Amino acid sequence: MNRVADEKGFTFLTSLFELMLLMIFLPLIVLFFVFMRGFFEEADPRTAEWFLFAGELQSYLSGAESLVIINNGAGVRIVQGGDEYDIESYDKFIRKQKFRLGHEVMLTGIKKTSFSLRGHSLLMQAEFTDGIILEEEYVFTQP
């Protein structure tokens, strides 16, 4: 019986220690969830697709010999190394055509696009089907 009486305070000290550990790790758990929310926003498939599209369009503009706005601003025609590419809005996506034959989908979920030229820069605005509007400005040089 004497031994049981000696351990009564031990459970109280253990509880205090566990509470202290909880108080230390709880802010870390909250920070983890805040970080993960930001990560999921950055890993959004639409954002990744937009950056891939922007990079691909920039690669066509980097060696462009000529650039013409087509379809009342809904597309752009790029001549590069003797090849002619049309990048334009079609249905709910942006497509690329080479010599106006076939098409390759470049960006999906698009409601409306507009292209415009200002000096040596191409301005593009894309409205997605869920109402989000993204804009991009591309600088190009002609030989």
Side-chain angles (χ1 to χ4, degrees), residues 26-139:
L26 194 59
L28 295 176
I29 293 170
V30 171
L31 286 175
F32 173 76
F33 282 111
V34 168
F35 171 75
M36 289 306 293
R37 190 179 103 200
F39 174 76
F40 283 125
E41 287 174 1
E42 289 179 11
D44 180 33
R46 179 189 309 117
T47 306
E49 188 180 14
W50 174 258
F51 284 122
L52 288 172
F53 167 75
E56 187 176 2
L57 184 56
Q58 182 64 46
S59 71
Y60 286 108
L61 293 173
S62 64
E65 297 165 8
S66 72
L67 189 68
V68 179
I69 301 296
I70 58 173
N71 299 337
N72 296 323
V76 63
R77 180 168 292 138
I78 302 169
V79 176
Q80 180 187 45
D83 294 332
E84 183 178 285
Y85 299 98
D86 288 351
I87 298 173
E88 60 187 344
S89 180
Y90 180 79
D91 198 23
K92 293 191 186 287
F93 53 88
I94 295 178
R95 70 177 180 180
K96 174 181 68 177
Q97 290 183 307
K98 186 175 181 179
F99 295 114
R100 298 181 199 130
L101 298 173
H103 70 265
E104 178 184 336
V105 175
M106 294 179 75
L107 186 62
T108 60
I110 298 294
K111 182 178 178 182
K112 180 184 171 186
T113 59
S114 69
F115 292 88
S116 61
L117 286 173
R118 284 193 201 144
H120 286 285
S121 55
L122 173 70
L123 302 170
M124 185 208 166
Q125 183 179 41
E127 181 180 350
F128 288 86
T129 53
D130 58 0
I132 294 175
I133 297 173
L134 294 176
E135 296 178 350
E136 195 74 32
E137 182 175 359
Y138 303 94
V139 176

